[in-house]
Amino acid sequence: MNFLSSTSLVSSLHLIFLLSSQRLVDSVSTRNSRFLPTIFPKSDSGVTKPENHGNKIVKTKVPKGNARPDLLFDIDCSNTNTSVHQCIGVGPSHICSRSFESDKGGAMEKAPGSGGPTGCREAFLTVMGDDGFLAGVLILLHTVRKYATVDRDFIVVVSTEVTEPIIERLLQECVRVIQLDPFYKNELARQLVSRSERYRSGYWVIKMYVWRLEEYSKLVYIDGDVYFRSSADPLFCAPADVKAPIAVTPRSSQDKSAGFNAGMFIYLPSRSVYQDIMSRFLGMSEEQMLGTSEQDFLNLHFKGAYNLIPIDFLMKHRRMVKEKGLWDINRVHGYHMNGNPKPWSTMWRTACAYPKDHQKLIKQYEEFYLEWWQYYYEYSGETMPDKHEDYRLTPMDDPTGKFSNWDPSVADRSCP
């Protein structure tokens, strides 16, 4: 055998050995693939994660977000029912009808499931404790209405602190307005007024009132400092039942024990739940009442009896400002701008108006609030100014007159 033949033979034997080894590796990999480390690249929408399907590994994407993976999911709307009624508020066929009711002590309560004024059985709902939240409520309504694909009522429950001109302004927007006296036969609430800003307008009481609206089968409560950048309709698909009558967003992106945010919740109205809530509240000492927010109270009342919706469906604006690059903004349907300043405040571009640890982010906040102002100018029909310092509410949307009396050229934006 010459040298060439020997070389060929060795090469052939080496090739046979490699093929046999590969078959063995493939065989072991097939049987034990779940034990082998697999690295997949990141994508714009998140990290690709392996899932085992029989003998195949299928790559699925975990949404991008600075949160536990179980908090990043999509709401299942496969069994959504469309409204058979024309509703007062939002949706492609919503009607414009003046609907104002004044309720004292539940005098206007209707039969469970009977529907609103036009028979509509689902509704968005917000509350106003005073005139100062008008701009926020108007843009909440505008953005819900802009993206709504299903007819639903839109309800604004107002305290007796809200003045008649503002109630008239709301009625012009074609929503259902319910005025509630939070101090009616509620001496304790009246006593707390002088001791706490939280109780001055009766906001706490009217927020709890929303459980009494049993004429609706399902409601979505939303604070007035929320706006949406895409459809809020999927919220009605969130699960709520007798055992867990409320669906909410988690307060923490990592800590399971932190509870939930009460700035938006999907719930099944129930007078018995309302009575339980008020009985529990009235059973607290005065000091406990003064030291408890409605969010803390609701977390205590519904502890272990709530469902979660995706944490990035409605985001706290402070979280997004601090962690913008860590989230998929296309998954965010709306923002909750809790705390001060609000975008409709003259102080929205002033660093000292923000919490101390956020003042260094003033440029990011100014950039963030531009979207709210874009929606406001879209709503008002006015031309959006080129300079941020020229943004202002129209007089009819500024009942407290803050912008009317404000001169941006002399405004002090420095911190003391």
Side-chain angles (χ1 to χ4, degrees):
M1 183 180 294
N2 59 30
F3 177 77
L4 184 60
S5 299
S6 299
T7 303
S8 300
L9 178 60
V10 171
S11 299
S12 299
L13 290 173
H14 182 63
L15 178 60
I16 292 170
F17 173 77
L18 287 177
L19 290 173
S20 300
S21 299
Q22 185 61 47
R23 289 192 189 98
L24 179 61
V25 170
D26 288 345
S27 177
V28 172
S29 297
T30 300
R31 292 196 306 269
N32 302 299
S33 58
R34 56 195 175 98
F35 300 115
L36 298 178
T38 310
I39 300 174
F40 297 103
K42 290 185 177 181
S43 67
D44 291 338
S45 59
V47 180
T48 306
K49 181 179 180 181
E51 284 189 2
N52 286 304
H53 295 268
N55 292 330
K56 282 179 74 176
I57 293 182
V58 178
K59 300 176 184 179
T60 59
K61 289 182 180 178
V62 176
K64 178 182 177 182
N66 188 27
R68 302 192 327 257
D70 60 302
L71 299 181
L72 300 167
F73 60 95
D74 295 319
I75 299 175
D76 182 8
C77 280
S78 57
N79 296 318
T80 304
N81 294 322
T82 57
S83 176
V84 296
H85 300 276
Q86 285 187 308
C87 304
I88 302 173
V90 301
S93 303
H94 79 273
I95 61 175
C96 190
S97 175
R98 295 174 66 87
S99 178
F100 175 75
E101 300 145 285
S102 181
D103 185 14
K104 289 186 176 182
M108 54 159 276
E109 286 175 351
K110 299 177 181 178
S114 59
T118 62
C120 210
R121 291 187 173 85
E122 292 183 340
F124 292 99
L125 170 71
T126 192
V127 301
M128 280 182 65
D130 54 44
D131 291 356
F133 257 63
L134 175 63
V137 169
L138 290 176
I139 300 311
L140 168 61
L141 170 62
H142 172 66
T143 54
V144 170
R145 183 176 280 167
K146 176 182 176 72
Y147 299 112
T149 59
V150 177
D151 279 16
R152 293 184 173 98
D153 282 353
F154 192 100
I155 308 166
V156 185
V157 179
V158 300
S159 164
T160 45
E161 289 291 303
V162 176
T163 62
E164 288 189 15
I166 300 306
I167 291 175
E168 178 61 30
R169 182 81 176 80
L170 292 170
L171 290 172
Q172 291 172 0
E173 292 295 327
C174 308
V175 297
R176 183 185 181 190
V177 179
I178 301 173
Q179 187 176 46
L180 175 69
D181 183 353
F183 308 114
Y184 179 75
K185 293 184 178 180
N186 193 342
E187 186 58 33
L188 182 57
R190 194 180 300 277
Q191 292 173 6
L192 293 173
V193 167
S194 61
R195 296 193 57 192
S196 172
E197 181 69 31
R198 184 180 297 143
Y199 294 99
R200 189 158 298 157
S201 67
Y203 173 81
W204 199 101
V205 178
I206 61 175
K207 187 166 180 176
M208 299 306 110
Y209 167 87
V210 303
W211 266 273
R212 286 202 339 223
L213 297 172
E214 273 192 326
E215 61 263 40
Y216 294 97
S217 60
K218 201 171 194 179
L219 290 155
V220 172
Y221 169 82
I222 311 170
D223 274 355
D225 52 359
V226 168
Y227 75 93
F228 286 92
R229 55 203 307 276
S230 60
S231 178
D233 290 342
L235 291 172
F236 285 90
C237 305
D241 51 42
V242 176
K243 291 184 179 180
I246 184 172
V248 289
T249 52
R251 187 185 292 185
S252 170
S253 60
Q254 304 294 339
D255 184 2
K256 290 185 178 182
S257 65
F260 60 83
N261 291 314
M264 185 279 297
F265 48 85
I266 305 95
Y267 69 105
L268 305 181
S270 166
R271 289 175 208 162
S272 63
V273 170
Y274 169 76
Q275 290 164 359
D276 289 344
I277 287 173
M278 295 310 295
S279 295
R280 188 167 193 165
F281 175 67
L282 295 174
M284 298 168 67
S285 68
E286 189 171 309
E287 292 306 315
Q288 286 175 320
M289 292 179 185
L290 292 172
T292 303
S293 68
E294 81 277 0
Q295 177 164 282
D296 292 335
F297 181 84
L298 291 174
N299 268 275
L300 180 64
H301 187 81
F302 290 104
K303 187 175 182 179
Y306 58 86
N307 292 311
L308 290 178
I309 67 168
I311 191 171
D312 54 357
F313 191 99
L314 182 67
M315 290 275 287
K316 291 290 187 76
H317 74 308
R318 299 208 194 287
R319 175 177 285 151
M320 179 55 80
V321 168
K322 292 184 72 173
E323 304 176 358
K324 183 177 179 180
L326 302 178
W327 299 89
D328 181 358
I329 196 171
N330 295 315
R331 287 179 52 85
V332 179
H333 288 243
Y335 291 111
H336 182 195
M337 302 168 293
N338 59 311
N340 290 317
K342 307 300 184 191
W344 60 89
S345 163
T346 57
M347 303 291 286
W348 71 283
R349 297 174 60 245
T350 303
C352 291
Y354 292 85
K356 193 168 183 179
D357 60 335
H358 284 255
Q359 291 174 5
K360 62 184 178 182
L361 301 172
I362 183 60
K363 290 184 178 179
Q364 289 91 324
Y365 274 104
E366 184 171 345
E367 179 185 358
F368 176 86
Y369 277 150
L370 294 184
E371 188 171 65
W372 186 92
W373 279 106
Q374 288 169 351
Y375 280 120
Y376 177 74
Y377 278 101
E378 179 183 70
Y379 161 78
S380 69
E382 301 284 328
T383 301
M384 192 170 186
D386 293 330
K387 296 181 179 179
H388 300 171
E389 57 263 34
D390 293 332
Y391 293 179
R392 60 186 60 239
L393 302 177
T394 63
M396 66 186 305
D397 300 334
D398 184 24
T400 59
K402 290 182 179 179
F403 279 91
S404 300
N405 303 317
W406 180 66
D407 184 354
S409 65
V410 297
D412 183 8
R413 296 185 62 201
S414 62
C415 291

